[in-house]
């Protein structure tokens, strides 16, 4: 059974950093396009970044130069390094496996940026 578990969220001040993790089990994450989404209160879930099976990455404009998606194949884990965090980065962050069904979602990890 495929499963994704996020961790690493927390409360930080503007300008600080966090690294989120997404541990995969039941499948090999390099076999799927993997994504990070976030959802701020009262807003729709948005795609933040994506990494393809060949390692190509894309980012939403608002995080370019600040966030980095990566994966550790040996640990079957994906990461999101978030630097220079801003108030507007606050939200629940989810990892997702795949773009075509079947897709899998993690339960999310909360990131709060507050002064």
């Amino acid at each position: 059974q495929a499963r994704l578990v996020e961790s690493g969220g927390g409360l930080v001040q503007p300008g600080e950093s966090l690294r989120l993790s997404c541990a995969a089990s039941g499948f090999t994450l390099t076999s799927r396009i993997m994504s990070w989404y976030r959802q701020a209160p009262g807003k729709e879930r948005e795609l933040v970044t994506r990494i393809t099976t060949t390692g190509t990455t894309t980012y939403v404009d608002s995080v370019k130069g600040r966030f980095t998606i990566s994966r550790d194949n040996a640990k079957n884990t994906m990461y999101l390094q978030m630097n220079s965090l801003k108030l507007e980065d606050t939200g629940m962050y989810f990892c997702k496996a795949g773009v075509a069904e079947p897709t899998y979602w993690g339960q999310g990890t909360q990131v709060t940026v507050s002064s």
Side-chain angles (χ1 to χ4, degrees):
Q1 185 75 5
R3 187 175 181 220
L4 297 171
V5 178
E6 301 98 333
S7 61
L11 172 63
V12 297
Q13 295 187 340
E16 294 185 338
S17 299
L18 279 175
R19 189 178 79 155
L20 306 184
S21 299
C22 172
S25 59
F27 72 102
T28 302
L29 61 79
T30 54
S31 68
R32 309 297 300 276
I33 294 173
M34 297 295 297
S35 308
W36 284 100
Y37 284 74
R38 67 184 177 190
Q39 187 166 19
K43 295 189 176 181
E44 294 187 354
R45 193 172 296 188
E46 68 166 344
L47 174 63
V48 176
T49 179
R50 178 168 285 168
I51 184 167
T52 70
T53 57
T54 57
T56 301
T57 59
T58 57
Y59 299 89
V60 67
D61 286 346
S62 60
V63 307
K64 283 181 180 177
R66 300 189 297 121
F67 289 13
T68 303
I69 188 172
S70 63
R71 60 190 180 203
D72 184 328
N73 298 342
K75 295 182 178 180
N76 211 33
T77 298
M78 178 176 68
Y79 302 99
L80 181 63
Q81 178 67 44
M82 306 187 294
N83 298 330
S84 302
L85 283 161
K86 302 178 179 180
L87 297 176
E88 53 265 39
D89 293 319
T90 293
M92 186 71 77
Y93 283 69
F94 301 87
C95 60
K96 178 184 177 184
V99 293
E101 294 298 333
T103 60
Y104 309 105
W105 290 88
Q107 82 290 348
T109 186
Q110 178 67 37
V111 172
T112 302
V113 185
S114 176
S115 56

